[in-house]
Amino acid sequence: MRAAGWLFVLCLLASVATAGLALSGGRTPLGMLVSTVLPPVATAPTVRRLEWALPLAALDALFAAFVLVQLTVLFGGSDHVLRTAGLSYAQYARGGFWQLLAVSALTLLVIGGALRWAPRGDRTDRVLIRVLLGLLTALSLVVVASALYRMQVYTEAYGATRLRLFVATVELWLGLLFVLVGVGVLRLRGGWLPQLVVGTAIAALLGLAVINPDRFIAEHNVDRYRETGRLDVVYLAGLSADAVPALDRLPEPLRSCALRRLAAAQPETDLGTANLGRARARALFAARPVSDRASCLDAYRW
């Protein structure tokens, strides 16, 4: 399966290069990249139908073949990890993430180039553009869904962390980006593609800040502990004061083991250190003090 993945990447690079040269009318790939990302300064030349439709159709066929061949790997989940010798949950999740990044970067370049150079004066051309680029966007969304599913399997197996939450946010951002790109394909407008990438990235970062990452991670792991009985106390003890309300729900001695360092690290109240998370943490510690006598040797094995 790894060989198939590398073969797909090589074929994908070759297909994108071919499509790019066809759409750029023979210009260099670097020139194509610059003119795709930057707004056009003049009316872009178009190419004949055969010159752009065949490379895009071949690229769609390659994507479809990859999805069909890798279907078991893309959505295999825990069963696939357990059946595959030498494969860990981390490798399974990382494989999906890097596949997604490669597919996203190359697909966006191809879509941007096609929307820029492919002719659309004829009704047949417009239908072909929508069908070929729409299929490419839909298949890319399948890869997005696979990457998110792999990260979910990884998180269910080992719990949530800051890195895993960040990776999932990137994957959700790319999924939203492809949905919006699909709308642009239907409207046959792609001049706003660079602005769309930047704007949705800023929105994703703001959304990540709004959900309060440390509290979200702690709540997820506490809920997971209640279902599975497994908990990484050492990692949770290293979170910020925002995680205290969720960790306060743990039974003893896990609660004291997870909160002991946070309780000892709470600074004195002043204008420079005051925030809502620390205020809530101090109130909880005052109402339910952390025990210094709780033994954490067993808790660190959970």
Side-chain angles (χ1 to χ4, degrees), residues 91-288:
Q91 291 170 328
Y92 183 61
R94 283 197 297 265
F97 180 70
W98 291 116
Q99 286 174 1
L100 174 59
L101 288 185
V103 165
S104 300
L106 296 174
T107 301
L108 290 175
L109 284 176
V110 169
I111 290 176
L115 290 176
R116 178 181 171 86
W117 287 300
R120 62 196 70 179
D122 185 80
R123 183 175 182 276
T124 303
D125 288 330
R126 293 195 295 271
V127 171
L128 272 176
I129 292 175
R130 289 189 175 104
V131 170
L132 293 176
L133 294 186
L135 181 58
L136 187 62
T137 303
L139 291 171
S140 299
L141 281 172
V142 174
V143 180
V144 172
S146 168
L148 282 168
Y149 178 67
R150 294 187 191 200
M151 184 52 61
Q152 179 187 354
V153 171
Y154 187 22
T155 302
E156 288 177 353
Y158 295 106
T161 65
R162 289 168 177 164
L163 179 59
R164 292 164 199 166
L165 178 60
F166 174 76
V167 170
T169 302
V170 172
E171 293 168 350
L172 285 171
W173 163 59
L174 291 173
L176 172 63
L177 186 60
F178 276 118
V179 170
L180 296 177
V181 165
V183 175
V185 167
L186 292 177
R187 298 181 60 190
L188 296 181
R189 297 183 181 273
W192 41 262
L193 186 57
Q195 296 88 338
L196 178 65
V197 173
V198 175
T200 52
I202 293 174
L205 289 175
L206 291 175
L208 187 61
V210 166
I211 68 171
N212 195 337
D214 280 9
R215 181 161 186 170
F216 180 86
I217 291 167
E219 288 177 346
H220 178 278
N221 286 335
V222 170
D223 291 339
R224 174 176 171 271
Y225 163 73
R226 291 185 170 182
E227 295 177 0
T228 65
R230 295 178 303 209
L231 189 70
D232 188 347
V233 179
V234 175
Y235 181 83
L236 294 178
L239 297 177
S240 68
D242 294 328
V244 171
L247 299 180
D248 187 62
R249 295 160 44 201
L250 290 170
E252 294 290 356
L254 292 176
R255 174 185 177 273
S256 292
C257 293
L259 294 176
R260 185 174 295 168
R261 188 196 65 82
L262 286 169
Q266 288 302 304
E268 296 295 331
T269 304
D270 58 52
L271 292 178
T273 60
N275 65 40
L276 183 59
R278 292 194 183 100
R280 288 174 174 171
R282 280 191 292 270
L284 285 172
F285 291 145
R288 296 182 59 196

